[in-house]
């Protein structure tokens, strides 16, 4: 799979099109139905507008994995403006995740599993940076987003 790259890296570390229009890492949510659409709806709520270059493929029960892979390839081509695409799946080992194994291409298409809203929001927030940075920030968002709400450390049964 060859994805076009028409971008250059600016001195600030962010990707930019030659015309000066900022480029963004595309994000594809490849999840069990209806999670992908629900995450897009939640992100739209938080940012008060639908995020650009964000799509979801909601995989239904018994959907042909070859069809899912083809849909994912088509979406990656649409989403990639040269900055790369981050594919986020819900659970490692599930059909959506298993369909991504042939899609991984370092520096062009990266795949992470275990989607959460903190992960997605962090990826969207940092998507003007490089694909590698977006991946690491998304993973940090997921890790930091899972916590006790009261922030207390519990040592004993009391």
């Amino acid at each position: 799979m060859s994805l076009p790259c028409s971008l250059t890296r600016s001195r600030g570390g962010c990707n930019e099109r030659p015309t000066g229009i900022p480029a963004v890492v595309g994000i594809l949510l490849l999840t069990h139905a209806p999670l992908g659409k629900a995450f897009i709806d939640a992100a739209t709520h938080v940012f008060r507008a639908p995020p650009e270059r964000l799509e979801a493929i909601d995989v239904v029960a018994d959907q042909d994995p070859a069809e899912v892979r083809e849909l994912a390839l088509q979406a990656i081509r649409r989403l990639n403006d040269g900055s790369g695409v981050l594919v986020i799946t819900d659970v490692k080992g599930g059909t959506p995740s298993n369909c991504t194994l042939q899609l991984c291409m370092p520096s062009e298409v990266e795949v992470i599993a275990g989607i959460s809203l903190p992960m997605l929001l962090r990826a969207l927030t940092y998507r003007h940076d490089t694909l590698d940075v977006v991946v690491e920030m998304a993973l940090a968002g997921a890790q930091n987003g899972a916590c006790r709400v009261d922030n207390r450390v519990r040592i004993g049964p009391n």
Side-chain angles (χ1 to χ4, degrees):
M1 173 176 85
S2 177
L3 301 173
C5 185
S6 61
L7 306 183
T8 58
R9 182 175 292 182
S10 69
R11 292 183 348 142
C14 295
N15 294 321
E16 199 171 289
R17 294 180 187 175
T19 60
I21 300 169
V24 296
V25 170
I27 299 175
L28 174 62
L29 309 181
L30 189 58
T31 62
H32 291 90
L35 292 177
K37 182 181 178 333
F39 275 107
I40 290 178
D41 289 346
T44 298
H45 171 81
V46 169
F47 291 114
R48 299 188 186 272
E52 63 177 311
R53 296 202 179 286
L54 172 63
E55 291 185 25
I57 297 173
D58 284 329
V59 179
V60 297
D62 299 320
Q63 191 168 358
D64 181 15
E67 177 189 10
V68 174
R69 272 191 299 280
E70 183 55 36
L71 291 170
L73 272 173
Q74 291 171 11
I76 288 168
R77 288 186 186 111
R78 279 191 307 274
L79 291 168
N80 192 4
D81 67 3
S83 300
V85 175
L86 172 60
V87 179
I88 306 176
T89 67
D90 48 4
V91 62
K92 185 176 180 180
T95 300
S97 175
N98 291 342
C99 291
T100 66
L101 298 176
Q102 298 86 357
L103 304 176
C104 295
M105 295 179 62
S107 300
E108 289 191 49
V109 179
E110 297 286 347
V111 180
I112 59 178
I115 191 169
S116 66
L117 191 55
M119 173 190 278
L120 178 59
L121 297 178
R122 186 73 69 96
L124 289 167
T125 301
Y126 285 90
R127 65 199 309 215
H128 291 280
D129 215 313
T130 64
L131 179 58
D132 287 339
V133 169
V134 175
V135 168
E136 293 307 316
M137 296 310 290
L139 291 170
Q143 187 174 23
N144 295 332
C147 63
R148 287 184 183 273
V149 174
D150 62 11
N151 265 346
R152 292 185 295 160
V153 177
R154 302 215 170 114
I155 298 174
N158 297 355

